[in-house]
Amino acid sequence: MRALCMPQGLSPIELTKLEALICSARSVQRGEALYRSGDRFDNIYAVRSGSMKTVMAHRDGREQVTGLRLAGEALGLDGIGEDVHACSAVALEDSTVCIVPYPALKSLCREIGSMQDRLHKLLGEQIVREAGQMMVLGSLSADERVAAFLLDVSERNARRGYSSAEFNLRMTREDMGSYLGMTLETVSRTLSRFQKRGLVDTQGKHIRIVDLEGLQKV
Amino acid sequence: MRALCMPQGLSPIELTKLEALICSARSVQRGEALYRSGDRFDNIYAVRSGSMKTVMAHRDGREQVTGLRLAGEALGLDGIGEDVHACSAVALEDSTVCIVPYPALKSLCREIGSMQDRLHKLLGEQIVREAGQMMVLGSLSADERVAAFLLDVSERNARRGYSSAEFNLRMTREDMGSYLGMTLETVSRTLSRFQKRGLVDTQGKHIRIVDLEGLQKV
DNA sequence: CGTTTAATTGAGGAAAGTCAAGTGAAGTGG
DNA sequence: CCACTTCACTTGACTTTCCTCAATTAAACG
């Protein structure tokens, strides 16, 4: 659990302090929201098991998936800016999260320099990740977007010690499409074409990457 | 200058401490890079005068404008995540920036709680802003993107005490297009159409918003 | 004031979206 | 545990939006 909740580089002492901080865990049913856009920001979360999506809504009701969080990844940073969550976080499958109260985390960051660094990195990485996604949405073709997405998930799986070649993606085609700025039909067609070209092997939500290099060259 | 470099809510004492931190200012010529993608991350900046764009490059060389910074806004946060800048920052006109050394800022954040809050907010706001841009790129039509962009710049101008109705945008149509995920021709056509519909009045880089409500309804 | 760079506009084409029908997978209740 | 209902996915035909290429005009910089 330690490894899952706050994976990177803290000393044992720091981990103990952090563990004291994590008051509780919570389980979230598939489709249920851990928090909603507009909710007061109290906690940062770490996905312990399962996976979640973050969703942002335009005033006219249109929704866009802004992120995917796999087990081990942080969640909730969208609340720091305005003391209120800017996105909603919805479970893609039955999941559990660790709860890290933000005020306590802030104090800890003032006590322990490496904890401060860790939080800053978390925030900074999120900024870079999102800038990368802006690049995907703004500059890549549909094929390139889907390929980039599969490679991203693959790499994140690898980092968590799972297979980079084969995984279950609990998002629907619609979620993927929303995240990638295209329709669910285009996602489906693109995956079918990739399959014909021998790049991937998809059966619904189960995805196997057959030709990694080929996918990188798309 | 105080107001420009770190506008929001610090006590006078804190401001003094912060000022001690801002070792220097720097001027950047139009077209010149304040920092480049890959440069080591040492400082955060605040635009003191002028304006800048941030640009991210794909490995194949394609570039995407990922942000616009007006006077008074923070710059350089894309370096925190990896100790290396993920974007390049290029001046859109002759500009000056305040330089805030990051290590010193970190220390100050451990001393002064409100400074820590301020930095967290800066990071958090950036995260929310970028998520909003993902939404723009992923869900809006060309017309809606241009309208949203003009309204965003207008609002940011207002917040800085300038006219919300009339301003100079030093970006080229190509920069705007890149930021909004469309071609420069489409930007140009869209602005022309807006002009015919009596929503805006543009003459090159000078933009006047004629019908704010109309623009919001696009 | 001339030269370079940026912006506008038009015509034609390509990529992705929409609508629609059919198939398959998954969750629910008897 | 199976049948049923619902939801998700795939595929095709057609439409729309935006992009590409090209020519012209306007603005900006040295």
PDB file of all heavy atoms in Angstrom, chain A residues 129-151:
ATOM      1  N   ARG A 129       2.071  16.977 -18.216  1.00  0.00           N
ATOM      2  CA  ARG A 129       1.202  15.973 -18.833  1.00  0.00           C
ATOM      3  C   ARG A 129       0.069  16.646 -19.607  1.00  0.00           C
ATOM      4  O   ARG A 129      -0.235  16.281 -20.735  1.00  0.00           O
ATOM      5  CB  ARG A 129       0.621  15.061 -17.745  1.00  0.00           C
ATOM      6  CG  ARG A 129       0.293  13.680 -18.213  1.00  0.00           C
ATOM      7  CD  ARG A 129      -0.096  12.728 -17.067  1.00  0.00           C
ATOM      8  NE  ARG A 129      -0.152  13.338 -15.756  1.00  0.00           N
ATOM      9  CZ  ARG A 129       0.729  13.135 -14.786  1.00  0.00           C
ATOM     10  NH1 ARG A 129       1.752  12.336 -14.984  1.00  0.00           N
ATOM     11  NH2 ARG A 129       0.585  13.713 -13.611  1.00  0.00           N
ATOM     12  N   GLU A 130      -0.522  17.646 -18.976  1.00  0.00           N
ATOM     13  CA  GLU A 130      -1.634  18.321 -19.635  1.00  0.00           C
ATOM     14  C   GLU A 130      -1.172  19.102 -20.855  1.00  0.00           C
ATOM     15  O   GLU A 130      -1.860  19.150 -21.873  1.00  0.00           O
ATOM     16  CB  GLU A 130      -2.362  19.234 -18.645  1.00  0.00           C
ATOM     17  CG  GLU A 130      -3.180  18.458 -17.626  1.00  0.00           C
ATOM     18  CD  GLU A 130      -3.993  19.363 -16.726  1.00  0.00           C
ATOM     19  OE1 GLU A 130      -3.912  20.601 -16.861  1.00  0.00           O
ATOM     20  OE2 GLU A 130      -4.724  18.828 -15.869  1.00  0.00           O
ATOM     21  N   ALA A 131      -0.011  19.716 -20.762  1.00  0.00           N
ATOM     22  CA  ALA A 131       0.519  20.431 -21.931  1.00  0.00           C
ATOM     23  C   ALA A 131       0.734  19.436 -23.072  1.00  0.00           C
ATOM     24  O   ALA A 131       0.437  19.733 -24.234  1.00  0.00           O
ATOM     25  CB  ALA A 131       1.823  21.143 -21.580  1.00  0.00           C
ATOM     26  N   GLY A 132       1.224  18.256 -22.718  1.00  0.00           N
ATOM     27  CA  GLY A 132       1.396  17.213 -23.729  1.00  0.00           C
ATOM     28  C   GLY A 132       0.076  16.829 -24.368  1.00  0.00           C
ATOM     29  O   GLY A 132       0.002  16.627 -25.581  1.00  0.00           O
ATOM     30  N   GLN A 133      -0.957  16.762 -23.574  1.00  0.00           N
ATOM     31  CA  GLN A 133      -2.266  16.403 -24.120  1.00  0.00           C
ATOM     32  C   GLN A 133      -2.809  17.521 -25.006  1.00  0.00           C
ATOM     33  O   GLN A 133      -3.487  17.252 -26.000  1.00  0.00           O
ATOM     34  CB  GLN A 133      -3.237  16.068 -22.977  1.00  0.00           C
ATOM     35  CG  GLN A 133      -4.575  15.511 -23.426  1.00  0.00           C
ATOM     36  CD  GLN A 133      -4.473  14.183 -24.159  1.00  0.00           C
ATOM     37  OE1 GLN A 133      -3.415  13.552 -24.194  1.00  0.00           O
ATOM     38  NE2 GLN A 133      -5.556  13.757 -24.767  1.00  0.00           N
ATOM     39  N   MET A 134      -2.503  18.765 -24.669  1.00  0.00           N
ATOM     40  CA  MET A 134      -2.888  19.886 -25.536  1.00  0.00           C
ATOM     41  C   MET A 134      -2.234  19.725 -26.907  1.00  0.00           C
ATOM     42  O   MET A 134      -2.841  19.995 -27.945  1.00  0.00           O
ATOM     43  CB  MET A 134      -2.446  21.216 -24.913  1.00  0.00           C
ATOM     44  CG  MET A 134      -3.320  21.671 -23.773  1.00  0.00           C
ATOM     45  SD  MET A 134      -2.638  23.125 -22.932  1.00  0.00           S
ATOM     46  CE  MET A 134      -2.417  24.229 -24.320  1.00  0.00           C
ATOM     47  N   MET A 135      -1.008  19.294 -26.872  1.00  0.00           N
ATOM     48  CA  MET A 135      -0.248  19.051 -28.098  1.00  0.00           C
ATOM     49  C   MET A 135      -0.906  17.931 -28.915  1.00  0.00           C
ATOM     50  O   MET A 135      -1.063  18.036 -30.129  1.00  0.00           O
ATOM     51  CB  MET A 135       1.154  18.685 -27.643  1.00  0.00           C
ATOM     52  CG  MET A 135       2.032  17.981 -28.586  1.00  0.00           C
ATOM     53  SD  MET A 135       3.319  19.120 -29.097  1.00  0.00           S
ATOM     54  CE  MET A 135       3.266  18.802 -30.836  1.00  0.00           C
ATOM     55  N   VAL A 136      -1.294  16.863 -28.237  1.00  0.00           N
ATOM     56  CA  VAL A 136      -1.985  15.759 -28.902  1.00  0.00           C
ATOM     57  C   VAL A 136      -3.267  16.263 -29.560  1.00  0.00           C
ATOM     58  O   VAL A 136      -3.539  15.994 -30.730  1.00  0.00           O
ATOM     59  CB  VAL A 136      -2.323  14.637 -27.887  1.00  0.00           C
ATOM     60  CG1 VAL A 136      -3.315  13.645 -28.480  1.00  0.00           C
ATOM     61  CG2 VAL A 136      -1.056  13.923 -27.449  1.00  0.00           C
ATOM     62  N   LEU A 137      -4.044  17.022 -28.804  1.00  0.00           N
ATOM     63  CA  LEU A 137      -5.343  17.483 -29.305  1.00  0.00           C
ATOM     64  C   LEU A 137      -5.202  18.520 -30.403  1.00  0.00           C
ATOM     65  O   LEU A 137      -6.018  18.606 -31.310  1.00  0.00           O
ATOM     66  CB  LEU A 137      -6.158  18.068 -28.148  1.00  0.00           C
ATOM     67  CG  LEU A 137      -6.658  17.058 -27.126  1.00  0.00           C
ATOM     68  CD1 LEU A 137      -7.162  17.752 -25.874  1.00  0.00           C
ATOM     69  CD2 LEU A 137      -7.757  16.206 -27.726  1.00  0.00           C
ATOM     70  N   GLY A 138      -4.150  19.316 -30.309  1.00  0.00           N
ATOM     71  CA  GLY A 138      -4.014  20.423 -31.245  1.00  0.00           C
ATOM     72  C   GLY A 138      -3.276  20.088 -32.519  1.00  0.00           C
ATOM     73  O   GLY A 138      -3.513  20.720 -33.550  1.00  0.00           O
ATOM     74  N   SER A 139      -2.399  19.104 -32.466  1.00  0.00           N
ATOM     75  CA  SER A 139      -1.512  18.899 -33.623  1.00  0.00           C
ATOM     76  C   SER A 139      -1.564  17.530 -34.277  1.00  0.00           C
ATOM     77  O   SER A 139      -1.037  17.367 -35.369  1.00  0.00           O
ATOM     78  CB  SER A 139      -0.057  19.149 -33.209  1.00  0.00           C
ATOM     79  OG  SER A 139       0.102  20.412 -32.620  1.00  0.00           O
ATOM     80  N   LEU A 140      -2.157  16.556 -33.631  1.00  0.00           N
ATOM     81  CA  LEU A 140      -2.075  15.209 -34.209  1.00  0.00           C
ATOM     82  C   LEU A 140      -3.357  14.791 -34.933  1.00  0.00           C
ATOM     83  O   LEU A 140      -4.449  15.222 -34.586  1.00  0.00           O
ATOM     84  CB  LEU A 140      -1.757  14.186 -33.108  1.00  0.00           C
ATOM     85  CG  LEU A 140      -0.512  14.422 -32.250  1.00  0.00           C
ATOM     86  CD1 LEU A 140      -0.214  13.192 -31.408  1.00  0.00           C
ATOM     87  CD2 LEU A 140       0.687  14.802 -33.079  1.00  0.00           C
ATOM     88  N   SER A 141      -3.197  13.917 -35.909  1.00  0.00           N
ATOM     89  CA  SER A 141      -4.338  13.330 -36.622  1.00  0.00           C
ATOM     90  C   SER A 141      -4.998  12.277 -35.736  1.00  0.00           C
ATOM     91  O   SER A 141      -4.449  11.877 -34.708  1.00  0.00           O
ATOM     92  CB  SER A 141      -3.865  12.669 -37.905  1.00  0.00           C
ATOM     93  OG  SER A 141      -3.102  11.523 -37.602  1.00  0.00           O
ATOM     94  N   ALA A 142      -6.162  11.835 -36.159  1.00  0.00           N
ATOM     95  CA  ALA A 142      -6.900  10.841 -35.377  1.00  0.00           C
ATOM     96  C   ALA A 142      -6.049   9.592 -35.137  1.00  0.00           C
ATOM     97  O   ALA A 142      -5.954   9.101 -34.013  1.00  0.00           O
ATOM     98  CB  ALA A 142      -8.195  10.477 -36.090  1.00  0.00           C
ATOM     99  N   ASP A 143      -5.417   9.092 -36.176  1.00  0.00           N
ATOM    100  CA  ASP A 143      -4.567   7.911 -36.030  1.00  0.00           C
ATOM    101  C   ASP A 143      -3.463   8.158 -35.010  1.00  0.00           C
ATOM    102  O   ASP A 143      -3.207   7.334 -34.131  1.00  0.00           O
ATOM    103  CB  ASP A 143      -3.924   7.545 -37.371  1.00  0.00           C
ATOM    104  CG  ASP A 143      -4.888   6.798 -38.285  1.00  0.00           C
ATOM    105  OD1 ASP A 143      -6.101   6.806 -38.003  1.00  0.00           O
ATOM    106  OD2 ASP A 143      -4.416   6.204 -39.265  1.00  0.00           O
ATOM    107  N   GLU A 144      -2.819   9.297 -35.146  1.00  0.00           N
ATOM    108  CA  GLU A 144      -1.717   9.614 -34.236  1.00  0.00           C
ATOM    109  C   GLU A 144      -2.195   9.734 -32.796  1.00  0.00           C
ATOM    110  O   GLU A 144      -1.502   9.324 -31.862  1.00  0.00           O
ATOM    111  CB  GLU A 144      -1.053  10.921 -34.681  1.00  0.00           C
ATOM    112  CG  GLU A 144      -0.309  10.806 -35.999  1.00  0.00           C
ATOM    113  CD  GLU A 144       0.145  12.154 -36.536  1.00  0.00           C
ATOM    114  OE1 GLU A 144      -0.577  13.159 -36.347  1.00  0.00           O
ATOM    115  OE2 GLU A 144       1.221  12.218 -37.152  1.00  0.00           O
ATOM    116  N   ARG A 145      -3.374  10.302 -32.609  1.00  0.00           N
ATOM    117  CA  ARG A 145      -3.894  10.456 -31.250  1.00  0.00           C
ATOM    118  C   ARG A 145      -4.130   9.117 -30.595  1.00  0.00           C
ATOM    119  O   ARG A 145      -3.743   8.892 -29.447  1.00  0.00           O
ATOM    120  CB  ARG A 145      -5.223  11.224 -31.291  1.00  0.00           C
ATOM    121  CG  ARG A 145      -5.056  12.668 -31.641  1.00  0.00           C
ATOM    122  CD  ARG A 145      -6.395  13.384 -31.636  1.00  0.00           C
ATOM    123  NE  ARG A 145      -6.331  14.521 -32.558  1.00  0.00           N
ATOM    124  CZ  ARG A 145      -7.259  15.441 -32.677  1.00  0.00           C
ATOM    125  NH1 ARG A 145      -8.354  15.368 -31.940  1.00  0.00           N
ATOM    126  NH2 ARG A 145      -7.114  16.439 -33.521  1.00  0.00           N
ATOM    127  N   VAL A 146      -4.771   8.224 -31.336  1.00  0.00           N
ATOM    128  CA  VAL A 146      -5.062   6.907 -30.764  1.00  0.00           C
ATOM    129  C   VAL A 146      -3.762   6.170 -30.459  1.00  0.00           C
ATOM    130  O   VAL A 146      -3.601   5.590 -29.380  1.00  0.00           O
ATOM    131  CB  VAL A 146      -5.946   6.081 -31.721  1.00  0.00           C
ATOM    132  CG1 VAL A 146      -6.100   4.662 -31.208  1.00  0.00           C
ATOM    133  CG2 VAL A 146      -7.314   6.732 -31.872  1.00  0.00           C
ATOM    134  N   ALA A 147      -2.816   6.242 -31.389  1.00  0.00           N
ATOM    135  CA  ALA A 147      -1.537   5.575 -31.165  1.00  0.00           C
ATOM    136  C   ALA A 147      -0.838   6.157 -29.932  1.00  0.00           C
ATOM    137  O   ALA A 147      -0.364   5.417 -29.072  1.00  0.00           O
ATOM    138  CB  ALA A 147      -0.638   5.725 -32.397  1.00  0.00           C
ATOM    139  N   ALA A 148      -0.814   7.471 -29.847  1.00  0.00           N
ATOM    140  CA  ALA A 148      -0.159   8.121 -28.710  1.00  0.00           C
ATOM    141  C   ALA A 148      -0.813   7.713 -27.396  1.00  0.00           C
ATOM    142  O   ALA A 148      -0.137   7.472 -26.393  1.00  0.00           O
ATOM    143  CB  ALA A 148      -0.212   9.643 -28.873  1.00  0.00           C
ATOM    144  N   PHE A 149      -2.118   7.603 -27.418  1.00  0.00           N
ATOM    145  CA  PHE A 149      -2.842   7.232 -26.212  1.00  0.00           C
ATOM    146  C   PHE A 149      -2.501   5.806 -25.786  1.00  0.00           C
ATOM    147  O   PHE A 149      -2.197   5.555 -24.611  1.00  0.00           O
ATOM    148  CB  PHE A 149      -4.346   7.365 -26.449  1.00  0.00           C
ATOM    149  CG  PHE A 149      -5.186   6.932 -25.289  1.00  0.00           C
ATOM    150  CD1 PHE A 149      -5.120   7.611 -24.079  1.00  0.00           C
ATOM    151  CD2 PHE A 149      -6.044   5.854 -25.396  1.00  0.00           C
ATOM    152  CE1 PHE A 149      -5.893   7.217 -22.996  1.00  0.00           C
ATOM    153  CE2 PHE A 149      -6.824   5.453 -24.316  1.00  0.00           C
ATOM    154  CZ  PHE A 149      -6.742   6.135 -23.115  1.00  0.00           C
ATOM    155  N   LEU A 150      -2.513   4.887 -26.729  1.00  0.00           N
ATOM    156  CA  LEU A 150      -2.200   3.497 -26.402  1.00  0.00           C
ATOM    157  C   LEU A 150      -0.776   3.389 -25.855  1.00  0.00           C
ATOM    158  O   LEU A 150      -0.525   2.679 -24.881  1.00  0.00           O
ATOM    159  CB  LEU A 150      -2.360   2.610 -27.638  1.00  0.00           C
ATOM    160  CG  LEU A 150      -3.783   2.483 -28.170  1.00  0.00           C
ATOM    161  CD1 LEU A 150      -3.811   1.597 -29.409  1.00  0.00           C
ATOM    162  CD2 LEU A 150      -4.721   1.928 -27.101  1.00  0.00           C
ATOM    163  N   LEU A 151       0.144   4.113 -26.471  1.00  0.00           N
ATOM    164  CA  LEU A 151       1.531   4.070 -26.012  1.00  0.00           C
ATOM    165  C   LEU A 151       1.664   4.671 -24.617  1.00  0.00           C
ATOM    166  O   LEU A 151       2.433   4.176 -23.790  1.00  0.00           O
ATOM    167  CB  LEU A 151       2.430   4.819 -27.008  1.00  0.00           C
ATOM    168  CG  LEU A 151       2.580   4.123 -28.367  1.00  0.00           C
ATOM    169  CD1 LEU A 151       3.257   5.044 -29.375  1.00  0.00           C
ATOM    170  CD2 LEU A 151       3.350   2.821 -28.221  1.00  0.00           C
TER     171      LEU A 151
END
